[in-house]
Amino acid sequence: LSGDKTPGHHAYLGEILEKFPQSPVIFSLRDPRDTIVSMREALGTSLKGAITQWNAAFDSYQRFLNSVHLVRYEEFVADPATHSSALCALVGESYEPEMLRFHERMRQASHPVSHQHRRLLGPVDPKLVGRFSKMRSRIDRVRLRRWNGGARL
């Protein structure tokens, strides 16, 4: 069992599915506007660069949508226990409520955590949904509000 939130791994989705055909692949899809805000903050990505990266990930998902299990980030955050239980069932593991308290053990880890991974040390945070609406740059807010939910940015 392996998991990773590295944004660029979508580029290897075809290879992953080919080399591990019996392994379930879970594709997490987040509102692109919030994803872009997060990428800009954590990685210092430009607005155009973040939009390009999100579009590339979405294109990868669309190419393989019949071969992956989609998890919508906002739905997961709204009900992490239900979605975690379903994901455990998908990969053949038993769900335990303690799984949602992983961060309690992470805080005790002695290894340093980089700035861009600091949120991994906390619980699932509903405050991270809808962050795009609080952007400081009016121009960026206007550009992101043009997102139409089903079209590419």
Side-chain angles (χ1 to χ4, degrees):
L1 183 59
S2 178
D4 193 352
K5 67 173 262 170
T6 304
H9 283 180
H10 70 85
Y12 304 100
L13 196 48
E15 186 176 340
I16 291 167
L17 292 166
E18 179 183 317
K19 294 193 180 206
F20 304 99
Q22 301 304 313
S23 295
V25 173
I26 300 163
F27 196 99
S28 177
L29 187 64
R30 185 177 182 189
D31 182 310
R33 300 166 296 187
D34 283 337
T35 302
I36 289 165
V37 170
S38 180
M39 290 174 72
R40 294 190 72 201
E41 285 179 0
L43 306 172
T45 308
S46 70
L47 179 63
K48 183 178 180 179
I51 288 170
T52 299
Q53 288 180 45
W54 192 93
N55 281 336
F58 186 71
D59 288 346
S60 292
Y61 165 70
Q62 285 193 307
R63 275 194 305 278
F64 299 103
L65 63 93
N66 293 322
S67 302
V68 299
H69 179 81
L70 178 66
V71 173
R72 294 194 178 274
Y73 178 81
E74 293 77 13
E75 292 173 8
F76 182 88
V77 170
D79 189 0
T82 297
H83 290 281
S84 294
S85 179
L87 290 173
C88 284
L90 178 71
V91 299
E93 294 291 330
S94 298
Y95 171 73
E96 299 175 19
E98 294 78 28
M99 291 175 168
L100 295 178
R101 295 195 311 268
F102 66 92
H103 57 282
E104 294 170 2
R105 285 176 283 149
M106 293 294 292
R107 286 192 195 119
Q108 298 169 4
S110 59
H111 55 42
V113 176
S114 65
H115 170 75
Q116 56 267 54
H117 293 111
R118 72 187 183 285
R119 287 197 180 110
L120 294 176
L121 297 180
V124 174
D125 188 354
K127 288 183 249 171
L128 298 178
V129 174
R131 291 179 58 225
F132 74 91
S133 64
K134 298 170 187 76
M135 290 180 72
R136 290 187 184 148
S137 165
R138 183 182 182 285
I139 293 170
D140 287 354
R141 249 190 344 265
V142 168
R143 286 179 182 161
L144 289 178
R145 284 179 198 250
R146 290 182 184 157
W147 171 253
N148 190 6
R152 289 172 42 114
L153 283 177

